[in-house]
Amino acid sequence: MKEIKWLAQTIEAELEDAEKYAKAAHQYRDTDKELSRACASIAEEEINHAMKLHKEAERIIKNYRAEGHEAPESMKAIWDWEHEKMVDHIARIRHMLAMLNA
């Protein structure tokens, strides 16, 4: 399941980039609206990248189970923890982006 490890790491990197762009969107909100909108758009694209990779992780896990394999409990616990972090990170970024329109 090296793919799952790579996917989890790559998803986190995408979300870190999305957060960086969301912060930049706020930084330029009052001084350069076009740059702010561009950064917000890029943040959304980074979230979309993370979501695509997440779907791939789900597909791999589903196929693994369909083949009759069962992941060890420790692996399930790690994935559940990583998944919860991803969901929380996306929620924080989306909140930052929503605040731009407030």
Side-chain angles (χ1 to χ4, degrees), residues 3 27 38 54-55 62 70 80 86 90:
E3 298 92 347
Q27 180 179 350
H54 182 266
K55 284 182 183 181
K62 182 180 174 184
E70 192 60 36
D80 289 345
M86 291 173 210
I90 290 170

Side-chain angles (χ1 to χ4, degrees), residues 7-78:
L7 285 164
Q9 291 171 330
T10 306
I11 290 167
E12 183 58 28
E14 294 287 346
L15 295 177
E16 287 171 5
D17 285 346
E19 185 173 2
K20 173 181 70 177
Y21 286 113
K23 287 178 179 179
H26 275 277
Q27 180 179 350
Y28 298 113
R29 177 178 163 180
D30 296 327
T31 59
D32 192 332
K33 295 219 182 282
E34 287 182 50
L35 179 56
S36 177
R37 281 192 295 272
C39 289
S41 175
I42 294 168
E44 286 290 348
E45 289 174 20
E46 296 293 342
I47 290 172
N48 289 337
H49 295 165
M51 297 302 291
K52 287 178 184 178
L53 293 171
H54 182 266
K55 284 182 183 181
E56 288 302 307
E58 288 179 334
R59 179 190 60 78
I60 290 168
I61 292 167
K62 182 180 174 184
N63 289 347
Y64 185 76
R65 289 182 179 151
E67 293 171 356
H69 304 291
E70 192 60 36
E73 287 301 315
S74 59
M75 187 182 295
K76 288 180 191 176
I78 290 169

